[in-house]
Amino acid sequence: MHVVGNRACAAIIRSRRITGLTPDVIAELVAEIGPLGHQHHQAALTARPRRRAVGAGAKHKLVFADRLLVTLVHLRHGTPHDVLACWFGVDRSTITRAIGEVRPLLAERDCTVVPGLKLRGLAEVIDCLGADGRAGIIDGPEVRVRRSVAGARTGGSSFPGRASRTR
């Protein structure tokens, strides 16, 4: 099963369409957020009184890079946890745990998804980001548009228009 996960990870890293990020950016995120995740995990282990020894609990089934990829795919596409679990060859609860651990780490790095925020033009994007001096990654899905043929007698004639990045 672990081989299936490795193939999935390789496909995710190679295809920018899946995460929206280049392999170099993913590697930078792993290098930057990975140690932070380890620190958080160690702090959680020692933060409360324990009945069992440190390290006696459930082990991670995915390495940190895989957990980051799972989270990025989920955030970008809204992929259900069951689908990601099949893709990575692990249980659904492993995916849920991975996303729950990595998402706060991304938020600490100011990589957040604002729920319900819909920006309808470049001016709105500039207003939203420019107010705080933040940078943003804009992920606009490509939508095919059908436009009417100029000078057509019937309203039913159309031809494929150019791809639009807005809805």
Side-chain angles (χ1 to χ4, degrees):
M1 285 269 184
H2 191 64
V3 174
V4 173
N6 287 338
R7 287 185 193 148
C9 293
I12 290 171
I13 291 172
R14 277 193 311 268
S15 178
R16 186 173 180 174
R17 294 169 60 189
I18 297 174
T19 62
L21 303 173
T22 64
D24 293 337
V25 172
I26 293 171
E28 288 175 18
L29 281 172
V30 169
E32 184 178 335
I33 298 175
L36 185 62
H38 182 71
Q39 290 173 357
H40 281 260
H41 181 68
Q42 293 302 317
L45 290 176
T46 58
R48 60 182 171 78
R50 304 184 58 87
R51 291 184 185 173
R52 297 187 297 173
V54 173
K59 306 293 186 250
H60 287 289
K61 302 245 189 292
L62 297 172
V63 296
F64 183 78
D66 294 350
R67 287 183 277 152
L68 176 65
L69 291 174
V70 163
T71 305
L72 292 173
V73 172
H74 174 71
L75 290 174
R76 180 158 194 220
H77 297 288
T79 310
H81 293 197
D82 290 328
V83 172
L84 290 168
C86 289
W87 201 4
F88 282 83
V90 295
D91 191 57
R92 182 188 190 284
S93 62
T94 302
I95 299 298
T96 302
R97 178 182 178 195
I99 292 170
E101 290 173 354
V102 174
R103 200 163 176 184
L105 298 174
L106 289 170
E108 282 186 30
R109 192 184 181 271
D110 290 331
C111 296
T112 59
V113 175
V114 180
L117 178 65
K118 297 206 186 257
L119 303 173
R120 305 231 183 257
L122 184 59
E124 289 182 18
V125 172
I126 292 170
D127 288 343
C128 181
L129 295 175
D132 299 341
R134 295 178 294 166
I137 297 173
I138 301 171
D139 185 15
E142 184 172 314
V143 178
R144 293 283 176 190
V145 177
R146 296 196 64 84
R147 303 181 197 275
S148 298
V149 176
R153 292 183 197 163
T154 61
S157 297
S158 63
F159 68 94
R162 71 174 185 85
S164 174
R165 299 292 283 176
T166 60
R167 289 185 183 200

